[in-house]
Amino acid sequence: LAMTLGMLLCVTVVLDMGQFWGWLDSPNLVAWLAGLVVLASGFVVWGIVMPTPLISLRPLACPQYAGALLVKIIYSINIYTLIDLLSNYMVRMRGYQWWQGSVVLLSALVLMLAAVCAGLHFGTSANRKARLVIGLIVMTVATWQLSAIDLYTSKIWIGLLVAVWGAGVGLAAVPVMMPVFEGLTQDQAFSTAGIFNITRFLPAFI
């Protein structure tokens, strides 16, 4: 627990203060960076070697689990990063009130929930991979188009792009989660909860 909290503290300081202090010019940042390397290395060794670590990393030796987790990490990075950047863009760059900016995200929420419900109703094991691939492709294309918006882009066009992106998020939501726990016993699933949760937000934060 101490190594986990120390590692997260070092990550936060390095990412938040690196630009201000100077990435490798500041003794302060170099010290925090060294702490991050030491604690992260200790965290990995502890998670592999110890018989009952707080967060076990041994499941990563299973290719199916590691691959499924990697897909989920990419999925989570896209969601958290796009929402954060788009919210900042609408409020800070375009000068909208928070509720005006949220209207743009509302279309994504509606289509995301609709796609999740459709996937739960019509989805099967046979079409799970197809839903996952199509959902990720839709998210990728919509993110690519959203990366080109500027201060003069119509809010209606942004709303449409975000709505399409939300549909992709919803379509991939169930298929991206299921393979992570597929084939695991209940005890194994509980033992992987730590690594599942830490990979949910940390890569997106970095």
Side-chain angles (χ1 to χ4, degrees):
L1 179 61
M3 282 190 290
T4 303
L5 294 177
M7 179 179 69
L8 295 177
L9 175 63
C10 288
V11 165
T12 303
V13 172
V14 167
L15 292 179
D16 286 349
M17 300 302 294
Q19 187 71 26
F20 178 72
W21 282 341
W23 286 107
L24 294 176
D25 300 329
S26 167
N28 289 331
L29 187 73
V30 171
W32 282 100
L33 195 57
L36 174 60
V37 170
V38 170
L39 289 168
S41 301
F43 173 80
V44 171
V45 171
W46 189 280
I48 294 172
V49 174
M50 296 301 290
T52 55
L54 178 68
I55 298 176
S56 176
L57 301 180
R58 285 190 291 274
L60 292 174
C62 173
Q64 179 180 335
Y65 179 81
L69 196 62
L70 179 62
V71 173
K72 188 198 76 71
I73 289 171
I74 295 170
Y75 176 81
S76 298
I77 288 173
N78 183 273
I79 291 176
Y80 296 138
T81 306
L82 190 140
I83 290 176
D84 179 63
L85 292 176
L86 190 61
S87 300
N88 280 303
Y89 161 80
M90 295 302 295
V91 174
R92 295 181 183 177
M93 300 293 292
R94 297 292 289 261
Y96 292 113
Q97 296 295 318
W98 68 267
W99 63 268
Q100 293 172 312
S102 67
V103 171
V104 172
L105 295 174
L106 183 62
S107 59
L109 179 62
V110 171
L111 278 188
M112 181 183 72
L113 293 175
V116 168
C117 291
L120 291 172
H121 185 72
F122 298 107
T124 64
S125 295
N127 63 27
R128 188 178 67 190
K129 286 184 179 178
R131 285 183 287 136
L132 175 62
V133 170
I134 293 171
L136 293 177
I137 289 174
V138 170
M139 289 174 66
T140 302
V141 172
T143 302
W144 168 50
Q145 290 297 310
L146 283 166
S147 70
I149 63 176
D150 57 28
L151 291 175
Y152 306 102
T153 305
S154 166
K155 195 164 76 167
I156 295 174
W157 174 242
I158 296 173
L160 288 172
L161 287 175
V162 174
V164 171
W165 173 82
V169 171
L171 190 62
V174 176
V176 85
M177 296 299 177
M178 290 297 293
V180 178
F181 299 106
E182 196 170 45
L184 300 179
T185 66
Q186 190 174 32
D187 289 340
Q188 289 173 327
F190 281 130
S191 72
T192 61
I195 190 170
F196 179 84
N197 285 319
I198 203 169
T199 56
R200 183 193 301 269
F201 71 90
L202 190 57
F205 176 68
I206 292 173

